[in-house]
């Protein structure tokens, strides 16, 4: 049984993300520990040399693993299904939450009616375009009509 190239690339991205998290924690500790950098040790590099070498190596390894995983994911034919599932499963809900935060801020600056119209039209259009049975023009027209009815214009 041959290994699944998509699974291997996802594993590389996951391993790189794990190393990146560890290196971020290490860099945070390294940069906020003044005892490592406080004294002058003359010719001796001091106690900060070893953590520095380890963190640089760990960070480079994380970048290389993530880069190779992304390269394999994009280079393999037929991987568009993976990215579509990833978008539908995690990116779209995250964008919705971000749009709600922007919506709340926009209500104070441009008003309730305009903010509501923009958010409603945008998300009705985005969700309507996920169903590729209709042309874009029809989806946009339906989104504009639904927005106008929804905000009471």
């Amino acid at each position: 049984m041959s290994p699944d190239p998509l699974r291997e690339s996802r594993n590389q991205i996951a391993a790189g993300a794990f190393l990146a998290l560890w290196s971020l924690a290490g860099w945070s500790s390294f940069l906020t520990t003044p005892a490592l950098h406080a004294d002058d040790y003359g010719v001796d590099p001091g106690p900060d040399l070893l953590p520095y070498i380890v963190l640089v190596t760990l960070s480079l390894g994380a970048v290389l693993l993530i880069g190779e995983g992304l390269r394999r994911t994009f280079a393999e034919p037929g991987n568009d299904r993976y990215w579509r599932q990833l978008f539908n499963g995690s990116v779209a809900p995250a964008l919705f939450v971000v749009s709600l935060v922007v919506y709340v801020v926009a209500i104070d600056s441009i008003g309730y009616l305009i903010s509501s119209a923009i958010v409603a039209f945008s998300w009705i259009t985005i969700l309507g375009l996920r169903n590729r049975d209709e042309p874009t023009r029809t989806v946009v027209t339906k989104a504009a009509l639904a927005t106008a009815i929804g905000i009471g214009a």
Side-chain angles (χ1 to χ4, degrees):
M1 184 168 154
S2 66
D4 181 19
L6 182 59
R7 185 174 182 154
E8 286 182 11
S9 63
R10 284 190 309 213
N11 289 343
Q12 281 190 325
I13 293 170
F18 178 76
L19 287 179
L21 287 174
W22 271 109
S23 66
L24 285 174
W27 281 112
S28 173
S29 176
F30 179 77
L31 295 174
T32 59
T33 306
L36 289 176
H37 318 288
D39 296 327
D40 183 21
Y41 295 97
V43 180
D44 185 25
D48 64 344
L49 179 64
L50 183 62
Y52 181 75
I53 291 171
V54 170
L55 288 172
V56 166
T57 306
L58 194 62
S59 300
L60 286 174
V63 168
L64 290 174
L65 277 172
I66 291 172
E68 178 64 16
L70 289 174
R71 186 195 66 77
R72 282 186 178 189
T73 300
F74 285 119
E76 295 292 327
N79 285 343
D80 59 338
R81 180 179 57 92
Y82 168 72
W83 290 105
R84 198 173 331 113
Q85 287 175 345
L86 180 67
F87 180 77
N88 291 338
S90 61
V91 176
L95 286 175
F96 182 69
V97 170
V98 169
S99 71
L100 289 179
V101 171
V102 171
Y103 171 62
V104 169
V105 173
I107 287 175
D108 289 334
S109 59
I110 60 174
Y112 172 76
L113 190 63
I114 296 172
S115 301
S116 297
I118 291 170
V119 169
F121 177 76
S122 300
W123 277 102
I124 292 171
T125 304
I126 289 169
L127 295 174
L129 289 174
R130 288 175 65 185
N131 180 7
R132 292 308 227 173
D133 295 340
E134 297 179 346
T136 304
R137 182 181 219 177
T138 305
V139 171
V140 171
T141 304
K142 287 181 178 180
L145 183 61
T147 300
I149 293 170
I151 63 168

